[in-house]
């Protein structure tokens, strides 16, 4: 189950790389400035953005933003 979870997270990161540039930029900036220790909420925002893209794609909903 843990390996499957890691595969899902890796897939979401790939999707985020292609479709969530502002979320990734905010997370990367936080990591540079705070060393990553305080960036969990921004990390989650990246994964939530990617998850929305997956759901939009599954429903055939056009992506916005």
């Amino acid at each position: 189950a843990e390996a499957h979870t890691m595969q899902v997270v890796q897939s979401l990161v790939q999707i985020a790389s292609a479709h969530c540039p502002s979320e990734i930029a905010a997370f990367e900036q936080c990591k540079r400035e705070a060393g990553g220790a305080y960036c969990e909420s921004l990390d989650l925002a990246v994964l939530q953005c990617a998850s929305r893209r997956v759901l939009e794609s599954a429903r055939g909903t056009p992506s916005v933003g």
Side-chain angles (χ1 to χ4, degrees):
E2 187 174 321
H4 182 68
T5 299
M6 290 305 297
Q7 288 175 339
V8 169
V9 170
Q10 287 175 334
S11 294
L12 289 174
V13 168
Q14 289 175 341
I15 293 165
S17 293
H19 300 285
C20 305
S22 61
E23 289 85 351
I24 289 182
F27 177 64
E28 292 295 329
Q29 181 179 354
C30 181
K31 285 191 335 185
R32 282 190 306 273
E33 293 175 359
Y38 302 100
C39 304
E40 184 177 341
S41 64
L42 294 172
D43 189 23
L44 290 174
V46 169
L47 295 177
Q48 288 171 337
C49 175
S51 297
R52 279 192 305 275
R53 295 294 180 149
V54 170
L55 293 173
E56 290 167 354
S57 176
R59 288 188 294 223
T61 306
S63 300
V64 176

